[in-house]
Amino acid sequence: MGIDAGFDMVPRLSTGATDRHNWDTFIRIIKDMYKDDTQVEIKPNYIEFNAGEHPMLPFEGHKFLRFSSKISGSCANVEIYIDTVRRVAEVHFGSRVKYWNEIADPCGVYDWKLVHESFRSYEQRDEPEPIASIAQLITGTDPIQNIGIPLFEIAKIPGKGRGLIARLNIAKGTRILCEKPFFTVASMSPNVLEPIIAKRLRAISKDAQRQFLSLHNNYPGKHPFSGIFKTNALPCGPDSPVGGVYPTICLINHSCIPNSHNNWNDDTDHETIHANRLIKAGEEITIAYNQEGDTATRRAWLTNTFGFDCNCPACSRSASEIRVSDARRLRMKKLDDDIGNGDRMVRRPKDSLKDCHELLKLLKEEYDGCAVVLEARAYYDAFQVVITHGDQARATGFEELEDEENDDTKGTGCCEL
Ligand SMILES: C[S@@+](CC[C@H](N)C(=O)[O-])C[C@H]1O[C@@H](n2cnc3c(N)ncnc32)[C@H](O)[C@@H]1O
């Protein structure tokens, strides 16, 4: 037991230039103040105070949430550090520094789980992110999202009909769209589906009916509604037999190396689209209707399932580039199968981990750094391998990497743009 005390940074600092500059200055002053104090240790990515519960200050300010420790009993020697660091922090960050003491307040502003997550993130430096705008560089967030300017326009795309074009640079992880389907229905033969869709259409507004009927149809004929459904429906979750049709999301064309990711949110019954990487203004926004297999397999699947011949950048590569890509995808499939072998994971965990490592490297090469969902899966596999062998520390690291990738593709659950 004992009394906790310390301070929280509220709101937390951004990755923008101003906050970074203030934090760097603050850290420089702290280092200078304690340069002769043997209890204050400079680690590669943070400063550790070897007193009380060893509070820390990371070199990356946006990771910092709390500086605190128990201050009673054997921990009493830490109180002077907390007090001094807090005063210096107040000079730089003013009222963002919220002092708390367990005697007066129950505890700080942040939940301990979040605080412990932030501590773990100190260990490794973040990869620098490509910046979408000057404003993002300064403020650390992409302000375009907050002012409601449409991120895309609908335009004609050569060889593909209509599509979505980015009007501005869109930062990785940005939620581009969040849409409710006109309706959802299980896929079935056209003659059974046709009257079911007709009934669903009668239940929606005239405007929505018009939008549905304006969608592309690769299967014109006696079952027009089913044709539109088959051309446009996206499954409501991976492997779901139920599909949804959307006013705008259904205008997004396919790419075998997509720059965005679509995700069905079961809690809100919405489909979301997030940027996988920085999308430059003028670039087409794409998702993958399916990403699996070598070039021929993917193209055959797209023709059979959606009725079109894919002309995305991956399928339009030269024959020699396609050979390299196909060999890589084949190797990735083999690695994925081997990693999924539970017996091997138990008996030869080092081999399984080596496979995860190679898979992550190949994913980065093949998808040009935008395979976030597949990378999240590989991190999850690595997590499984190490947790099976009781390596909690490494498991936590892989879990965090998986969470980061998932946050970039699924967002945090809210359906507002
Ligand atoms: C869901 S719709 C996308 C919006 C469509 N372009 C439109 O004009 O309404 C799917 C259709 O778009 C076209 N399309 C999508 N991705 C394509 C690609 N990579 N290559 C060629 N055509 C594509 C095909 O005609 C496909 O059947």
Side-chain angles (χ1 to χ4, degrees):
M1 298 301 282
I3 300 158
D4 269 308
F7 66 88
D8 290 4
M9 182 70 74
V10 190
R12 71 191 297 167
L13 301 177
S14 72
T15 51
T18 314
D19 281 350
R20 248 193 356 252
H21 172 77
N22 288 341
W23 185 260
D24 289 348
T25 311
F26 163 68
I27 289 290
R28 228 182 4 260
I29 289 170
I30 296 289
K31 275 184 180 170
D32 211 40
M33 274 173 65
Y34 293 114
K35 65 176 185 303
D36 298 323
D37 186 331
T38 52
Q39 292 213 96
V40 180
E41 204 178 332
I42 311 295
K43 302 271 193 175
N45 299 326
Y46 54 89
I47 303 173
E48 183 168 359
F49 292 74
N50 291 316
E53 290 180 306
H54 293 222
M56 296 176 286
L57 295 170
F59 295 158
E60 292 167 299
H62 65 279
K63 294 182 172 175
F64 177 78
L65 294 181
R66 176 169 296 166
F67 187 81
S68 77
S69 169
K70 300 225 176 295
I71 52 166
S72 48
S74 61
C75 291
N77 61 345
V78 75
E79 198 173 358
I80 180 78
Y81 288 124
I82 292 180
D83 201 42
T84 312
V85 172
R86 190 248 305 181
R87 281 167 200 276
V88 180
E90 276 170 351
V91 170
H92 289 83
F93 304 104
S95 60
R96 279 173 106 159
V97 174
K98 305 273 185 235
Y99 177 73
W100 54 270
N101 181 317
E102 225 180 3
I103 298 175
D105 321 293
C107 80
V109 174
Y110 298 109
D111 180 72
W112 271 111
K113 188 167 174 277
L114 205 66
V115 173
H116 285 297
E117 264 170 36
S118 80
F119 292 162
R120 287 194 293 271
S121 74
Y122 295 179
E123 286 296 340
Q124 209 156 18
R125 291 261 186 158
D126 284 351
E127 294 264 330
E129 277 287 314
I131 300 296
S133 64
I134 302 237
Q136 188 193 355
L137 180 69
I138 294 165
T139 63
T141 55
D142 190 353
I144 300 301
Q145 261 185 288
N146 304 330
I147 52 182
I149 297 177
L151 295 174
F152 56 82
E153 61 193 359
I154 297 163
K156 281 226 171 278
I157 314 285
K160 299 185 197 165
R162 288 178 296 172
L164 265 48
I165 299 286
R167 298 179 67 223
L168 314 145
N169 287 347
I170 302 176
K172 180 180 176 186
T174 301
R175 180 169 291 186
I176 300 171
L177 263 168
C178 175
E179 230 172 14
K180 224 178 162 49
F182 294 122
F183 57 83
T184 59
V185 66
S187 183
M188 47 192 108
S189 68
N191 52 336
V192 182
L193 194 55
E194 198 68 9
I196 297 177
I197 298 182
K199 194 167 165 209
R200 298 285 161 90
L201 285 176
R202 281 196 291 278
I204 61 177
S205 71
K206 286 268 177 284
D207 196 36
Q209 287 173 7
R210 263 193 297 275
Q211 284 180 310
F212 175 83
L213 293 172
S214 75
L215 292 175
H216 185 62
N217 184 357
N218 276 334
Y219 306 92
K222 43 179 206 173
H223 300 113
F225 302 154
S226 323
I228 293 178
F229 181 81
K230 191 165 160 57
T231 309
N232 292 280
L234 289 170
C236 300
D239 306 323
S240 170
V242 175
V245 183
Y246 307 84
T248 316
I249 288 178
C250 286
L251 300 180
I252 305 180
N253 290 314
H254 161 90
S255 172
C256 298
I257 35 173
N259 54 28
S260 303
H261 176 71
N262 60 305
N263 182 62
W264 172 252
N265 185 328
D266 243 340
D267 297 331
T268 61
D269 288 349
H270 279 73
E271 183 83 3
T272 53
I273 306 289
H274 287 88
N276 268 340
R277 60 162 167 82
L278 169 70
I279 304 175
K280 296 253 179 77
E283 209 182 316
E284 185 182 2
I285 295 166
T286 53
I287 55 173
Y289 302 168
N290 179 0
Q291 265 173 291
E292 310 228 324
D294 61 18
T295 312
T297 311
R298 288 193 317 270
R299 295 185 85 172
W301 185 89
L302 288 165
T303 307
N304 289 336
T305 316
F306 284 96
F308 71 94
D309 188 21
C310 184
N311 67 10
C312 79
C315 294
S316 311
R317 287 166 173 157
S318 69
S320 63
E321 285 170 333
I322 285 183
R323 268 196 302 279
V324 172
S325 160
D326 284 351
R328 195 159 42 211
R329 286 189 184 235
L330 211 69
R331 175 73 187 146
M332 280 161 26
K333 170 88 176 71
K334 166 90 172 72
L335 288 166
D336 202 38
D337 290 346
D338 286 350
I339 294 166
N341 179 337
D343 188 50
R344 187 165 172 271
M345 186 190 284
V346 171
R347 290 172 196 276
R348 292 159 48 197
K350 277 195 182 148
D351 289 346
S352 295
L353 266 189
K354 229 166 79 192
D355 288 351
C356 292
H357 189 72
E358 186 184 343
L359 180 58
L360 280 159
K361 181 174 152 284
L362 294 180
L363 283 169
K364 284 196 176 28
E365 283 172 19
E366 179 65 14
Y367 294 101
D368 212 6
C370 55
V372 281
V373 175
L374 301 173
E375 284 178 24
R377 221 173 70 190
Y379 284 129
Y380 179 70
D381 288 335
F383 165 85
Q384 291 284 353
V385 175
V386 293
I387 202 74
T388 305
H389 293 273
D391 186 345
Q392 182 69 49
R394 276 209 284 180
T396 306
F398 288 129
E399 197 181 15
E400 278 171 9
L401 289 165
E402 186 207 349
D403 284 350
E404 265 172 40
E405 301 293 353
N406 278 335
D407 283 351
D408 277 342
T409 56
K410 295 182 182 157
T412 47
C414 153
C415 263
E416 298 304 319
L417 255 180

